[in-house]
Short mmCIF file of all heavy atoms in Angstrom, two decimals:
data_model
loop_
_atom_site.label_atom_id
_atom_site.label_comp_id
_atom_site.label_asym_id
_atom_site.label_seq_id
_atom_site.Cartn_x
_atom_site.Cartn_y
_atom_site.Cartn_z
N ALA A 206 -31.73 -101.62 -105.53
CA ALA A 206 -31.68 -102.39 -104.22
C ALA A 206 -30.40 -103.13 -104.12
O ALA A 206 -29.65 -103.32 -105.19
CB ALA A 206 -32.90 -103.36 -104.13
N ALA A 207 -30.05 -103.59 -102.93
CA ALA A 207 -28.74 -104.34 -102.76
C ALA A 207 -28.88 -105.26 -101.58
O ALA A 207 -29.69 -105.05 -100.72
CB ALA A 207 -27.64 -103.32 -102.52
N ILE A 208 -28.05 -106.30 -101.68
CA ILE A 208 -27.88 -107.21 -100.57
C ILE A 208 -26.52 -106.87 -99.92
O ILE A 208 -25.53 -106.93 -100.61
CB ILE A 208 -27.92 -108.70 -100.95
CG1 ILE A 208 -29.32 -109.08 -101.47
CG2 ILE A 208 -27.68 -109.55 -99.68
CD1 ILE A 208 -29.60 -110.53 -101.66
N ILE A 209 -26.50 -106.36 -98.67
CA ILE A 209 -25.29 -105.98 -98.02
C ILE A 209 -24.94 -106.91 -96.93
O ILE A 209 -25.78 -107.70 -96.40
CB ILE A 209 -25.40 -104.55 -97.51
CG1 ILE A 209 -26.61 -104.45 -96.49
CG2 ILE A 209 -25.56 -103.55 -98.67
CD1 ILE A 209 -26.72 -103.11 -95.86
N LYS A 210 -23.64 -106.97 -96.58
CA LYS A 210 -23.19 -107.89 -95.58
C LYS A 210 -23.29 -107.31 -94.15
O LYS A 210 -23.07 -106.15 -93.95
CB LYS A 210 -21.64 -108.18 -95.79
CG LYS A 210 -21.25 -108.86 -97.02
CD LYS A 210 -19.69 -109.09 -96.96
CE LYS A 210 -19.14 -109.48 -98.22
NZ LYS A 210 -17.70 -109.35 -98.31
N LEU A 211 -23.65 -108.19 -93.20
CA LEU A 211 -23.66 -107.80 -91.84
C LEU A 211 -22.51 -108.51 -91.03
O LEU A 211 -22.05 -109.53 -91.49
CB LEU A 211 -25.03 -108.22 -91.20
CG LEU A 211 -26.19 -107.54 -91.89
CD1 LEU A 211 -27.51 -108.03 -91.19
CD2 LEU A 211 -26.19 -105.99 -91.85
N PHE A 212 -22.19 -107.90 -89.94
CA PHE A 212 -21.04 -108.46 -89.13
C PHE A 212 -21.47 -108.57 -87.66
O PHE A 212 -22.44 -107.92 -87.24
CB PHE A 212 -19.84 -107.56 -89.26
CG PHE A 212 -19.29 -107.49 -90.61
CD1 PHE A 212 -19.86 -106.66 -91.59
CD2 PHE A 212 -18.20 -108.31 -90.93
CE1 PHE A 212 -19.34 -106.63 -92.89
CE2 PHE A 212 -17.71 -108.28 -92.22
CZ PHE A 212 -18.23 -107.45 -93.20
N PRO A 213 -20.73 -109.33 -86.86
CA PRO A 213 -21.07 -109.38 -85.42
C PRO A 213 -20.78 -108.04 -84.77
O PRO A 213 -19.85 -107.35 -85.20
CB PRO A 213 -20.10 -110.38 -84.82
CG PRO A 213 -19.45 -111.03 -85.99
CD PRO A 213 -19.61 -110.25 -87.22
N GLN A 214 -21.59 -107.64 -83.82
CA GLN A 214 -21.39 -106.42 -83.04
C GLN A 214 -20.15 -106.60 -82.22
O GLN A 214 -20.03 -107.51 -81.47
CB GLN A 214 -22.53 -106.20 -82.08
CG GLN A 214 -23.75 -105.57 -82.68
CD GLN A 214 -23.60 -104.03 -82.85
OE1 GLN A 214 -22.59 -103.47 -82.44
NE2 GLN A 214 -24.56 -103.38 -83.50
N PRO A 215 -19.18 -105.68 -82.29
CA PRO A 215 -18.05 -105.81 -81.38
C PRO A 215 -18.52 -105.57 -79.93
O PRO A 215 -19.35 -104.71 -79.74
CB PRO A 215 -17.07 -104.70 -81.82
CG PRO A 215 -17.79 -103.90 -82.85
CD PRO A 215 -19.01 -104.58 -83.19
N ALA A 216 -17.96 -106.29 -78.96
CA ALA A 216 -18.38 -106.10 -77.57
C ALA A 216 -18.09 -104.65 -77.11
O ALA A 216 -18.80 -104.05 -76.34
CB ALA A 216 -17.69 -107.11 -76.68
N ALA A 217 -16.98 -104.12 -77.60
CA ALA A 217 -16.63 -102.77 -77.13
C ALA A 217 -15.68 -102.10 -78.21
O ALA A 217 -15.03 -102.81 -79.02
CB ALA A 217 -15.81 -102.85 -75.84
N ARG A 218 -15.81 -100.79 -78.22
CA ARG A 218 -14.92 -100.03 -79.11
C ARG A 218 -14.25 -98.97 -78.27
O ARG A 218 -14.89 -98.42 -77.35
CB ARG A 218 -15.71 -99.43 -80.26
CG ARG A 218 -15.81 -100.40 -81.42
CD ARG A 218 -16.49 -99.79 -82.64
NE ARG A 218 -17.92 -99.89 -82.48
CZ ARG A 218 -18.71 -99.25 -83.33
NH1 ARG A 218 -18.27 -98.52 -84.32
NH2 ARG A 218 -19.95 -99.39 -83.17
N CYS A 219 -12.98 -98.69 -78.58
CA CYS A 219 -12.28 -97.66 -77.80
C CYS A 219 -11.45 -96.84 -78.78
O CYS A 219 -10.95 -97.30 -79.74
CB CYS A 219 -11.43 -98.44 -76.78
SG CYS A 219 -10.64 -97.32 -75.61
N THR A 220 -11.29 -95.57 -78.40
CA THR A 220 -10.65 -94.60 -79.25
C THR A 220 -9.50 -93.82 -78.55
O THR A 220 -9.62 -93.62 -77.36
CB THR A 220 -11.76 -93.55 -79.68
OG1 THR A 220 -12.89 -94.24 -80.13
CG2 THR A 220 -11.29 -92.70 -80.80
#
Side-chain angles (χ1 to χ4, degrees):
I208 298 193
I209 55 174
K210 291 183 195 168
L211 301 178
F212 294 82
Q214 279 282 353
R218 273 185 277 171
C219 190
T220 313

